Amino acid sequence: MANYIHVPEGAPTVPKLDVTLDEHDYRAGALKLLKTLRPHWKPSEVKTKSFTDGITNKLIGCYVGGSMQDVVLVRVYGNKTELFVDRENEVKSFRVLQMHRCAPRLYCTFNNGLCYEFLQGVALEPEHIRSPAIFRHIARQMAKYHAIHAHNGWVPQSDLWLRISKFFSLAPTHFDDPEKDQRLKSEVPSTACLRDEMIWLQQNLSKLGSPVVLCHNDLLCKNIIYKQQEDVSLPKSLHLLHRAIATDWRCSVCPARTPPGPEMSNSLTTNMLGTIIKPLTLGITSMNLQV
């Protein structure tokens, strides 16, 4: 129960549709979903747009008309991602965040994916998140996540190290393809080296006493949607888990290739803590999660 996500009473229910999408020919399956979700749409008029920034999942936007005002996002899970991602927890996360107006509307789940609301805005780039006007919005929105109590009385504990260990057990140590195998050996540190680094991190970070809170855990730049003069959104929620608060922004929003300077680090911390202590109206709508 250490990382249990509790869905409170009154949270929106999510229908499960018995539909399976072929990731290589998704249109037929998507139209079956839309027959329930948008029964007034004519199948012949449905247009699709593929989003290509995800690493393992396939994401398709379905809409009608000349503009993308009402878009149903269809996410097809990547092959064998269920070995690492808890899909039941993903749906619970969506529902919890919807209750707190921190996530897009989840329309349904289906056998190998889910459908949810499309949020208008611009997916950010590394240079954007270094702007004080934007990263302060991001920090405040993250603080809203951190302030959500989704453990129903249980004392939340981080399972970060357990999950990293599980990832190591699933990660390949070699490939049959000689080119891939050579790239793995030349560009990726050995499993033993990575495990040593994990142990070092665990020994040092566990001493900090950082509060364990509900974290986003996947704040890649492209997973942050910005609507100018309004707010920032973090729509994707499948990695919502209890983790040490410090790991959420330092490891996610600030990638190694664009480390934050002292001003950015201090401002992120100040804005997160200020929001937790005194909630405010944000210039951010939600944040997005994508594997």
Side-chain angles (χ1 to χ4, degrees):
M1 304 299 290
N3 220 331
Y4 173 67
I5 300 292
H6 172 70
V7 181
E9 291 185 13
T13 57
V14 180
K16 171 69 180 288
L17 303 182
D18 187 17
V19 176
T20 302
L21 265 66
D22 181 343
E23 62 176 316
H24 302 296
D25 182 19
Y26 55 80
R27 184 176 176 84
L31 290 177
K32 289 181 181 178
L33 296 169
L34 293 173
K35 187 176 182 180
T36 298
L37 301 177
R38 296 292 187 274
H40 56 287
W41 286 6
K42 295 181 180 180
S44 60
E45 297 179 357
V46 172
K47 301 176 183 178
T48 60
K49 175 181 173 60
S50 294
F51 298 90
T52 58
D53 291 317
I55 299 172
T56 57
N57 292 331
K58 183 179 288 292
L59 188 64
I60 306 105
C62 301
Y63 62 101
V64 295
S67 62
M68 298 178 64
Q69 293 302 313
D70 180 16
V71 181
V72 175
L73 287 178
V74 180
R75 187 200 300 160
V76 183
Y77 298 144
N79 185 35
K80 295 185 178 181
T81 52
E82 70 280 357
L83 296 176
F84 188 66
V85 178
D86 185 335
R87 298 303 180 188
E88 181 180 352
N89 187 80
E90 175 181 13
V91 175
K92 288 181 178 180
S93 299
F94 254 110
R95 297 176 67 196
V96 168
L97 291 178
Q98 276 187 243
M99 286 283 291
H100 293 83
R101 298 183 179 181
C102 290
R105 181 181 174 189
L106 180 60
Y107 295 130
C108 75
T109 64
F110 53 94
N111 296 334
N112 60 331
L114 46 78
C115 298
Y116 57 100
E117 177 186 11
F118 175 77
L119 295 179
Q120 301 288 340
V122 177
L124 298 186
E125 299 288 348
E127 58 267 24
H128 296 137
I129 66 169
R130 300 184 72 85
S131 164
I134 293 179
F135 71 60
R136 287 170 184 152
H137 279 318
I138 296 171
R140 291 169 186 167
Q141 183 69 359
M142 290 171 65
K144 289 182 67 177
Y145 277 56
H146 298 162
I148 294 173
H149 296 282
H151 45 77
N152 196 30
W154 293 90
V155 177
Q157 299 179 20
S158 172
D159 68 348
L160 176 62
W161 313 114
L162 179 64
R163 286 202 166 238
I164 292 178
S165 297
K166 184 176 181 180
F167 177 80
F168 282 141
S169 70
L170 296 172
T173 55
H174 73 280
F175 290 105
D176 293 334
D177 184 321
E179 184 177 345
K180 287 183 178 180
D181 195 54
Q182 175 59 31
R183 185 180 177 189
L184 175 68
K185 288 179 169 56
S186 63
E187 298 183 17
V188 180
S190 67
T191 301
C193 176
L194 293 173
R195 285 187 184 277
D196 287 342
E197 289 192 7
M198 183 193 76
I199 292 171
W200 182 87
L201 286 169
Q202 184 176 9
Q203 290 174 341
N204 286 276
L205 294 179
S206 298
K207 300 174 184 177
L208 299 179
S210 184
V212 174
V213 297
L214 205 63
C215 289
H216 186 285
N217 296 305
D218 194 24
L219 287 180
L220 301 175
C221 296
K222 290 290 188 180
N223 287 341
I224 303 174
I225 308 300
Y226 178 62
K227 194 168 184 180
Q228 197 167 11
Q229 298 178 341
E230 288 190 23
D231 48 31
V232 175
S233 301
L234 315 175
K236 189 166 169 256
S237 344
L238 69 145
H239 298 298
L240 194 68
L241 294 167
H242 289 101
R243 296 280 166 82
I245 192 171
T247 66
D248 206 19
W249 66 268
R250 179 60 185 88
C251 299
S252 300
V253 171
C254 308
R257 66 178 182 275
T258 55
E263 179 186 358
M264 181 176 178
S265 296
N266 292 337
S267 185
L268 278 165
T269 303
T270 300
N271 279 274
M272 279 200 296
L273 293 177
T275 303
I276 292 173
I277 296 169
K278 183 180 179 182
L280 6 129
T281 302
L282 306 178
I284 296 178
T285 52
S286 77
M287 302 195 196
N288 184 32
L289 278 167
Q290 188 160 282
V291 171

